[in-house]
Amino acid sequence: MKVLLIILSVLMLSLLPAQQNVTSADIVFKNGNVYTAIDHAPKAQAIAVKADRIVYVGTNAGAQEYVGQNTRVVDLHGNTVLPGFADAHQHLSGVGFREMTLNLEGTTSLEDLLSKLKARVDQAKPGEWVTGRGWIETHWQPPVFPTRWDLDKVSPNNPVILGRADGHGAVANSAAFKIAEIDKSTPNPFGGEISKDKQSGEPNGMLLDAAQGLVRRKVPPTTREDAERAVVLGVKRDIELGWTQIQDAGGSYDDIDIFKKLYASGAIKLRIYKAVYGPGPNANRLLSEGPIVGEFQNRLTVRTIKVISDGALGSRGAALLAPYSDAPDTAGFLTVKAEELRPMLIAALRKGIQVETHAIGDKANRFILDEYETALKAVPASERKVADPRWRVEHAQIVNPTDIPRFAKLGIIPSMQPSHAIGDLFFAPSRLGMDRLKGAYAWESFIKSGVVVPGGSDAPVERGEPMIEFYAAVARKDQKGFSTTGWHPEEAVTRAQALKMFTTWPAYAAFEEKLRGSIEVGKLADLTILSADIMTIPELEILKTRCVMTVINGEVVFEGS
Ligand SMILES: [Zn+2]
């Protein structure tokens, strides 16, 4: 009996938690409804965080061992915890500038646009430029572009330019056209179109893609202070919505300088995975200086060149293999020259630089797949600095079904934006016809073909809210629950897939899958904590779900009331 007791007590001792061996955590989150985004251990209750890393994932009791004298214990009261959400395609300063200039998001009609414009013009100084962005005419009655003559009614003297939400078109007034010296005889620039009145042949005010530059270069440049403020405002909005990283789809070294300054002063905490535009001077600089990886405690990485190969579907700038169904005289246009692209792709492979290319139309997608394939063949893996370069196609919106398997075959990542599908469902059928909708916004077909599909918002093209994107991915219906005939509901994804679209898959697309994207020991402590369980609630309730806390690098950077 005595021997048995001794054995038992030895056994008990060995079963006792090795309290002194466990370091105390900085924060312990308990009573959470935790989704880890790991297939073999999908759920947990509690998380312990030390410095910037996750040190424990499991039960409340297990996490309790990490509670020391200085540990902050956060009771989540059953709130849902997800790996920190990443927006795989956003334009950060655009999001900030949307807050700073005339914000035309949600404009319901031409009259609505004109009254918002009038209010702004009334406050402007004589001759001062009025700029804004965010209108989209597809819900208006009738759904037609505004004209310069419309704008002239409320702004006869102040020059005005107002970007369509997608950024691929803008309307300017006559005063702006006069300053830019655009008239009937002005030729279309490469990659753009000055839209004309069908009867008179006069420019009607709409400028598509590169043609916007004719007016935009007359607008006084934004100051460095404005640009910094835009980044700060954009970051503030992003972390309040629960984004922990954004992948900034294009820009310049000026942006990078601003990020560095704001990181150094502690003004921003959001992770930014930044691309610079190419071909051109910014791409050349990245190719010669090499990538920036994980600066500011894994917050800033720059290793990607962003190429734009066509326009957008709404403004009929997307390059299609066959003409638009509702405008048989046009099939859109490519916006990059193959002879400028080719040497850059070769250099990128040799130097270990990622390339991501905006491609909306089926022609643009085929074009870039062809160009990528040629470059990948020309530079075999043994001659590349990064053997698997993880090149991306941004949007991959309308893809000929025969081209879908080519992504997996070539190791190309389609980076897609669910909200585009629920915004475009009102005009895509007329632009494309029923046949081409097969292969449009084809998320599930892509996933089944063997690729990962990182999800993004493309804000400020779209609103840039994680709950809208998650909802759009799983519902494939508009925000009222409406869909339309021929909209391929089978291309909606499961909730588990949608979770990966905003967590593990963006991490993979950024070469960061070992560092972040899931909730597991050793990974960076990025968490998005929500007011409801978006993995189980009815679809429409996802849109009502709020971010209650955002954690980046183990630091609570946003806490809702
Ligand atoms: Zn974009």
Side-chain angles (χ1 to χ4, degrees), residues 39-202:
D39 290 335
H40 63 265
K43 293 293 300 279
Q45 201 174 29
I47 302 164
V49 172
K50 175 89 180 165
D52 60 348
R53 303 281 165 159
I54 295 168
V55 294
Y56 174 82
V57 182
T59 61
N60 285 338
Q64 188 59 36
E65 291 176 36
Y66 291 82
V67 177
Q69 272 189 334
N70 299 314
T71 304
R72 177 181 173 194
V73 178
V74 177
D75 187 342
L76 294 164
H77 301 289
N79 277 331
T80 293
V81 184
L82 305 172
F85 265 36
D87 185 339
H89 186 121
Q90 194 189 94
H91 302 277
L92 177 60
S93 61
V95 170
F97 276 117
R98 182 171 65 185
E99 309 280 306
M100 286 162 65
T101 58
L102 181 57
N103 185 349
L104 296 167
E105 269 183 291
T107 299
T108 56
S109 63
L110 176 61
E111 294 68 40
D112 186 24
L113 178 134
L114 294 180
S115 79
K116 284 172 177 163
L117 175 60
K118 185 174 187 306
R120 182 57 73 107
V121 171
D122 287 347
Q123 293 169 11
K125 299 181 206 97
E128 190 188 344
W129 278 85
V130 174
T131 62
R133 178 170 182 171
W135 61 269
I136 192 124
E137 82 297 343
T138 46
H139 293 279
W140 299 356
Q141 289 305 333
V144 293
F145 291 149
T147 68
R148 68 183 164 107
W149 302 293
D150 293 326
L151 306 190
D152 291 349
K153 284 184 232 160
V154 294
S155 187
N157 301 316
N158 289 77
V160 176
I161 181 162
L162 305 175
R164 195 172 186 270
D166 67 9
H168 291 276
V171 62
N173 69 347
S174 297
F177 270 57
K178 201 169 162 208
I179 292 168
E181 297 175 338
I182 302 172
D183 61 25
K184 242 175 154 162
S185 61
T186 310
N188 287 333
F190 173 75
E193 189 184 312
I194 303 164
S195 190
K196 305 269 167 59
D197 181 75
K198 283 223 165 69
Q199 258 121 53
S200 65
E202 286 286 340

Side-chain angles (χ1 to χ4, degrees), residues 306-329:
K306 167 80 180 289
V307 178
I308 297 178
S309 75
D310 69 344
L313 188 65
S315 49
R316 296 193 189 85
L320 299 180
L321 293 164
Y324 280 85
S325 300
D326 59 357
D329 54 332

